[in-house]
Amino acid sequence: MACRLGRVVSRPLQITILGATGSIGLSTLDVVARHPDRYDVFALTGFSRLAELRALCLKHRPRYAVVGDQAQARILQDQLHADGVSTRVLDGEGGLSEVAAHPEVDVVMAAIVGAAGLKPTLAAVQSGKRVLLANKEALVMSGALFMQALRDSGAVLLPIDSEHNAIFQCLPTDYSQGLGTVGVRRILLTASGGPFREMAPDLLSDVTPEQACAHPNWSMGRKISVDSASMMNKGLELIEACWLFDARPHQVEVVIHPQSVIHSMVDYVDGSVLAQLGNPDMRTPIAHALAWPERIESGVSALDLLRVGRLDFQAPDDRRFPCLRLARTAAEVGGTAPAMLNAANEVAVDAFLNRRIRFTEIASIIDDVLNHEASVPTVCLEDVLAADRRARDVAGQWLYRNGR
Ligand code: NAD
Ligand code: MG
């Protein structure tokens, strides 16, 4: 990650929030609203919850809002006009990329969920913005292209995922020369283990979307909640860590830590292990990335270690969490394998949330897709998008074959 230091301008920084109506988007707005002297909301985007987006526009008065299609844009534009708000409403992929790359924008929060966030996030990177990356799927899909675009444009990429933000905080500033050169032995990626950490593996086939979305420590969107329950989230994060910190998959070890107080650790060759701790609240990494290298108030209460009392650790169980193994394999294979893993997972999670498949079939679908399609190198974005389409097709065929 390139280093362009903190606040070089005295006016408030203009921020675009991609995925403003989601969990990360709302937490970002919460932090931003605490610092009106530092940040101005330039653009907000949403996809389905139009009424929420309208309310956010009324509150934050962005220059632009972006919605999914023209019909939605017309409705929201009329409503905002009636509200006396001058926000201009754009739509579709073009609108998202426009507000991500707009010359007046300084900071882009990339918080759209899934592959839909890839193009606007890349547009922000290519335009040299300070990019706050929550949308891990974008990096998983197109890591090589993404990191090259970062080097070419001089954009600053700051990880929002709590684990990666923690690792970033535990690394020295000059780690981009290679983890070995700064004495790092391995990265310890912590995982809560999700709601099914202790459930007998045989019972997993009957769990419901409601159970899967009831995360013990974090409040998140539905897709990432299911990913956390299957530990695919940790698998995606393993791939994300490899790209962000130029690590090999074997240098990233997953450790289950049920309290979610340690957000990840870095193990150094001299035996030192550095950890970042905090309450499980995404406003901490968001505030860290917004202000880096400064520190600002996030609204998160101080960590009370005496109340936490103890910190536990255990190894993940492969039988219970096959998705983690599949992701590690995809990371090792490289090329388009992670993009296919991600696409298959998106189709499977959507089918699970819509009660078309069992929880345990998420891993079956991904396994089928990875066995069906060979990985090829990713030379350009079209390679990634084609792999994504093929994987979705194969996953769709699985659903059809199995009568779902
Ligand atoms: P969410 O479901 O709460 O919100 C997703 C946002 O994306 C919404 O604003 C939605 O309108 C928008 N969106 C969905 N589909 C879209 C489409 N096709 N086109 C344009 N916009 C679309 O999700 P979230 O929990 O806020 O997660 C967002 C991203 O951040 C994910 O990639 C997730 O993995 C990552 N992340 C989330 C957390 C967390 O605590 N929630 C933590 C770490 C990383
Ligand atoms: Mg995370």
Side-chain angles (χ1 to χ4, degrees):
M1 281 174 277
C3 293
R4 199 172 58 189
L5 290 183
R7 304 184 69 218
V8 288
V9 283
S10 54
R11 61 174 174 77
L13 296 174
Q14 301 294 310
I15 177 164
T16 282
I17 303 180
L18 303 170
T21 53
S23 167
I24 293 286
L26 294 173
S27 292
T28 306
L29 283 167
D30 181 284
V31 178
V32 162
R34 291 167 193 272
H35 303 281
D37 54 321
R38 283 178 168 261
Y39 309 107
D40 250 359
V41 178
F42 183 85
L44 297 176
T45 87
F47 193 63
S48 50
R49 295 191 291 260
L50 228 54
E52 275 95 329
L53 187 57
R54 177 186 181 185
L56 293 178
C57 290
L58 274 170
K59 184 166 175 205
H60 298 280
R61 310 269 163 161
R63 180 103 66 89
Y64 293 99
V66 186
V67 293
D69 58 44
Q70 269 183 8
Q72 282 187 326
R74 255 194 305 275
I75 294 169
L76 183 61
Q77 189 69 80
D78 289 348
Q79 289 172 338
L80 291 175
H81 188 70
D83 294 333
V85 176
S86 61
T87 301
R88 214 182 125 207
V89 185
L90 310 176
D91 65 85
E93 241 174 42
L96 291 175
S97 292
E98 185 174 335
V99 296
H102 195 287
E104 286 175 49
V105 169
D106 303 295
V107 183
V108 175
M109 165 55 83
I112 290 174
V113 60
L118 174 60
K119 283 188 186 168
T121 305
L122 259 181
V125 170
Q126 285 160 347
S127 340
K129 307 299 184 196
R130 173 187 280 242
V131 181
L132 278 43
L133 184 73
N135 177 221
K136 65 191 86 184
E137 295 91 347
L139 190 60
V140 166
M141 291 172 74
S142 69
L145 302 172
F146 200 99
M147 298 311 283
Q148 187 56 49
L150 194 67
R151 286 188 288 272
D152 290 346
S153 70
V156 178
L157 187 67
L158 290 156
I160 292 299
D161 221 341
S162 57
E163 295 76 4
H164 305 75
N165 185 270
I167 295 160
F168 180 71
Q169 294 196 46
C170 295
L171 284 171
T173 45
D174 56 349
Y175 71 85
S176 57
Q177 299 307 311
L179 291 182
T181 64
V182 291
V184 172
R185 182 155 45 198
R186 57 193 178 143
I187 287 169
L188 298 170
L189 195 62
T190 53
S192 69
F196 306 139
R197 180 172 56 89
E198 299 206 299
M199 186 178 276
D202 304 344
L203 299 181
L204 286 175
S205 62
D206 290 327
V207 299
T208 63
E210 290 70 29
Q211 285 173 293
C213 288
H215 196 281
N217 306 338
W218 296 95
S219 156
M220 308 181 285
R222 281 164 71 77
K223 191 262 177 182
I224 184 175
S225 295
V226 176
D227 285 348
S228 298
S230 69
M231 282 196 77
M232 176 53 90
N233 184 48
K234 213 48 55 181
L236 298 175
E237 289 182 357
L238 188 158
I239 300 170
E240 185 184 7
C242 288
W243 286 117
L244 287 176
F245 307 116
D246 198 15
R248 303 289 312 139
H250 72 266
Q251 292 176 290
V252 184
E253 189 172 319
V254 174
V255 179
I256 292 192
H257 163 50
Q259 290 89 359
S260 298
V261 166
I262 296 180
H263 299 307
S264 276
M265 297 173 262
V266 177
D267 178 13
Y268 287 89
V269 288
D270 61 2
S272 301
V273 176
L274 300 192
Q276 187 261 352
L277 284 72
N279 286 318
D281 186 322
M282 290 306 292
R283 290 176 300 174
T284 294
I286 290 168
H288 171 265
L290 274 169
W292 180 84
E294 297 172 40
R295 297 269 179 180
I296 56 170
E297 278 281 347
S298 64
V300 178
S301 56
L303 177 64
D304 183 346
L305 276 174
L306 298 181
R307 253 190 78 201
V308 173
R310 55 185 277 183
L311 302 173
D312 294 311
F313 305 97
Q314 63 192 74
D317 168 358
D318 250 19
R319 222 182 113 218
R320 193 192 306 265
F321 300 118
C323 286
L324 183 55
R325 180 179 39 77
L326 290 168
R328 191 175 277 283
T329 305
E332 282 157 0
V333 170
T336 50
M340 292 190 290
L341 171 99
N342 177 68
N345 182 56
E346 286 192 25
V347 173
V349 170
D350 186 64
F352 170 68
L353 284 171
N354 289 305
R355 298 173 204 280
R356 293 169 64 196
I357 62 166
R358 291 175 182 276
F359 181 71
T360 41
E361 289 174 328
I362 294 174
S364 312
I365 293 178
I366 298 165
D367 196 23
D368 186 66
V369 169
L370 292 179
N371 281 323
H372 193 277
E373 289 291 315
S375 169
V376 296
T378 55
V379 178
C380 62
L381 186 60
E382 187 43 39
D383 296 332
V384 173
L385 298 176
D388 175 271
R389 281 194 299 270
R390 277 200 312 278
R392 282 170 202 272
D393 279 353
V394 177
Q397 285 159 23
W398 187 102
L399 293 173
Y400 181 74
R401 240 187 3 260
N402 290 279
R404 312 306 168 83

